[in-house]
Amino acid sequence: MFKINENYLKLPGSYLFSAIGKKVNAYSAAHPDKKIIRLGIGDVTQPLAPAIIEALHGAVDEMGKAETFRGYAPDLGYEFLRNAIAENDYRARGCDIHADEIFVSDGAKCDAGNIQEIFSLDNRIAVCDPVYPVYVDSNVMAGRTGTYDNIAETWSNVIYMPCTEENDFAPEFPKETPDLIYLCFPNNPTGAAITRQRLQEWVDYANRVGAVIIYDAAYEAYISEEKIPHSIYECEGAKACAIELRSFSKNAGFTGVRLGFTVVPKELRCGDVSLHALWARRHGTKYNGAPYLVQRAGEAVYSEAGRIQLKEQVAYYMNNARYIYDGLKEAGYTVSGGVNAPYIWLKAPCGMTSWEFFDCLLEQVNVVGTPGSGFGPSGETYFRLTAFGSYENTVEAMERIKGLEL
């Protein structure tokens, strides 16, 4: 008789955002007259920029002609896109990253979940706490995390690095030595960022202990401060210890279009084995490439018009972030984030748990956010709001929250 992967049975509950969706849908069904404002899931709301739409239309026209039709994409992505990424995201910032070290995909979430496949199950992972759930859940599915403690809400074989108000929501080096270190900056969910000097210390640490850093830079477009690095490869020695994940979802509104990439430098090795070669083998075996249309749209992100239009779009969301931050501060909340990231991290009021505050917001003022406990034990009593709504809904949500009776 066939057997299943029992590691899936170890996963506690449903995926965080699925659980939120079910709660909100149940409330909407019971109260169809209520206008719900969703500031929970980090999904963009502004339409694709004109330069991107133009590129999509042009690529569609190409696909309708025999002489310009494209079939399967190259395994690692089209050269026109990889060259644009290498030049604009890396070389322009002084990072020595080459086009053939870039692997184009359909999004950073998939790569974040899949990258663990090239590593042994014996590896110990270290994660920030709170943390984007995919990092941990994908390792649970692989069988790398040990047993789950329902009371502590932790896995026995995972090294947790608390990110709290006391350390400015940035992790300190763990007491135990990890093999794989997941870092996300600017951070989801806390909105925190770390300086180039501090990131250099992490690179030095990883090289010293023989660990690999899996660095999620999905929100780098929202960085506003000069001291904050946009890529881990701005740090000396990072090519020998770091893999970087990037997404077009938040910087260009591709949440429904799907495009991302992962950088695996050729210098990154385990003894005589190249991690670049392993990821290339995995990529070629299990993935057929992002569509030509989408990759042409990605190329337009780096055009002169595209850069101008997307800078305006990022500014639109960050204006929302400032409005949320200032509004919560005015209302007396303890709040952080919103400066280098489109996320605002606040303390639930009146000693509420994060899910109690979720229910309070949904039921009393019909605003949806994300409970901090869904990101890990250190997220309990905290709450995340996103700046990805419309400006009008953001203003209305803040007025509602300010009027909340606690």
Side-chain angles (χ1 to χ4, degrees):
M1 181 177 176
F2 71 88
K3 296 180 180 179
I4 62 169
N5 180 353
E6 293 190 359
N7 292 312
Y8 277 68
L9 304 181
K10 298 177 183 178
L11 290 165
S14 59
Y15 183 58
L16 171 62
F17 298 108
S18 298
I20 291 172
K22 289 177 182 177
K23 275 207 166 202
V24 174
N25 289 339
Y27 182 85
S28 294
H31 305 86
D33 58 319
K34 300 292 186 181
K35 176 189 174 183
I36 295 176
I37 299 178
R38 300 171 187 259
L39 300 180
I41 296 175
D43 194 2
V44 296
T45 54
Q46 294 300 294
L48 293 173
I52 294 168
I53 293 296
E54 183 179 352
L56 282 169
H57 281 300
V60 168
D61 290 340
E62 287 184 62
M63 295 295 279
K65 301 173 184 177
E67 59 271 22
T68 52
F69 173 79
R70 306 290 184 111
Y72 288 122
D75 283 353
L76 309 187
Y78 284 102
E79 285 192 20
F80 62 76
L81 178 56
R82 294 160 72 208
N83 286 331
I85 292 168
E87 182 61 36
N88 292 277
D89 286 330
Y90 294 103
R91 293 185 181 278
R93 295 192 178 279
C95 304
D96 186 27
I97 295 296
H98 301 273
D100 61 359
E101 295 175 305
I102 295 165
F103 297 77
V104 176
S105 71
D106 58 357
K109 179 179 179 179
C110 294
D111 287 350
N114 293 330
I115 195 69
Q116 52 80 27
E117 288 188 24
I118 66 174
F119 296 100
S120 168
L121 292 182
D122 295 335
N123 287 317
R124 293 283 306 277
I125 70 167
V127 298
C128 295
D129 174 30
V131 66
Y132 182 46
V134 171
Y135 309 152
V136 175
D137 286 0
S138 58
N139 279 282
V140 174
M141 294 170 177
R144 191 177 284 112
T145 54
T147 57
Y148 186 68
D149 184 328
N150 286 292
I151 297 175
E153 298 183 328
T154 57
W155 294 92
S156 62
N157 207 38
V158 173
I159 299 170
Y160 291 88
M161 303 182 293
C163 298
T164 64
E165 188 176 357
E166 288 69 32
N167 62 12
D168 294 324
F169 302 104
E172 299 171 2
F173 299 142
K175 294 182 174 62
E176 300 175 85
T177 302
D179 301 299
L180 305 176
I181 304 167
Y182 287 82
L183 295 178
C184 173
F185 289 103
N187 186 260
N188 177 17
T190 68
I194 58 174
T195 63
R196 186 175 291 102
Q197 178 182 348
R198 182 57 176 158
L199 186 56
Q200 181 67 62
E201 292 172 0
W202 273 102
V203 168
D204 295 341
Y205 169 81
N207 279 320
R208 186 168 65 249
V209 303
V212 171
I213 296 174
I214 299 173
Y215 192 75
D216 188 342
Y219 298 94
E220 64 81 27
Y222 293 84
I223 292 172
S224 64
E225 297 178 310
E226 286 292 330
K227 63 183 178 180
I228 307 301
H230 289 251
S231 168
I232 196 169
Y233 302 118
E234 294 177 38
C235 299
E236 184 178 352
K239 291 182 70 176
C241 71
I243 293 171
E244 184 164 285
L245 313 176
R246 290 282 193 106
S247 170
F248 286 77
S249 289
K250 305 307 194 294
N251 68 325
F254 277 35
T255 53
V257 178
R258 307 309 306 149
L259 188 66
F261 63 90
T262 291
V263 179
V264 185
K266 292 182 179 179
E267 293 176 25
L268 185 52
R269 308 183 71 85
C270 179
D272 295 330
V273 179
S274 163
L275 269 64
H276 180 278
L278 293 182
W279 187 240
R281 185 69 171 88
R282 191 266 172 205
H283 215 63
T285 300
K286 292 190 172 184
Y287 186 63
N288 266 339
Y292 173 72
L293 313 177
V294 175
Q295 293 196 49
R296 278 298 185 195
E299 181 188 32
V301 168
Y302 301 102
S303 68
E304 183 177 357
R307 285 196 295 265
I308 293 171
Q309 292 162 10
L310 293 177
K311 186 176 181 180
E312 293 173 353
Q313 200 166 88
V314 167
Y316 176 93
Y317 292 129
M318 290 308 288
N319 183 55
N320 288 350
R322 283 189 293 273
Y323 195 92
I324 296 170
Y325 183 96
D326 292 343
L328 291 172
K329 277 284 192 181
E330 182 183 330
Y333 287 84
T334 300
V335 59
S336 61
V339 176
N340 295 295
Y343 294 120
I344 293 84
W345 191 241
L346 63 139
K347 189 81 170 175
C350 304
M352 291 183 184
T353 68
S354 54
W355 276 107
E356 286 173 343
F357 188 54
F358 174 90
D359 291 336
C360 177
L361 283 183
L362 176 60
E363 294 168 7
Q364 291 195 32
V365 295
N366 309 139
V367 173
V368 176
T370 307
S373 62
F375 298 103
S378 291
E380 183 53 281
T381 75
Y382 284 92
F383 203 77
R384 191 192 77 175
L385 293 174
T386 85
F388 286 122
S390 69
Y391 177 73
E392 293 75 18
N393 279 347
T394 298
V395 170
E396 184 176 349
M398 284 304 99
E399 292 306 309
R400 292 184 188 185
I401 291 174
K402 287 178 183 178
L404 190 64
E405 294 183 6
L406 299 172

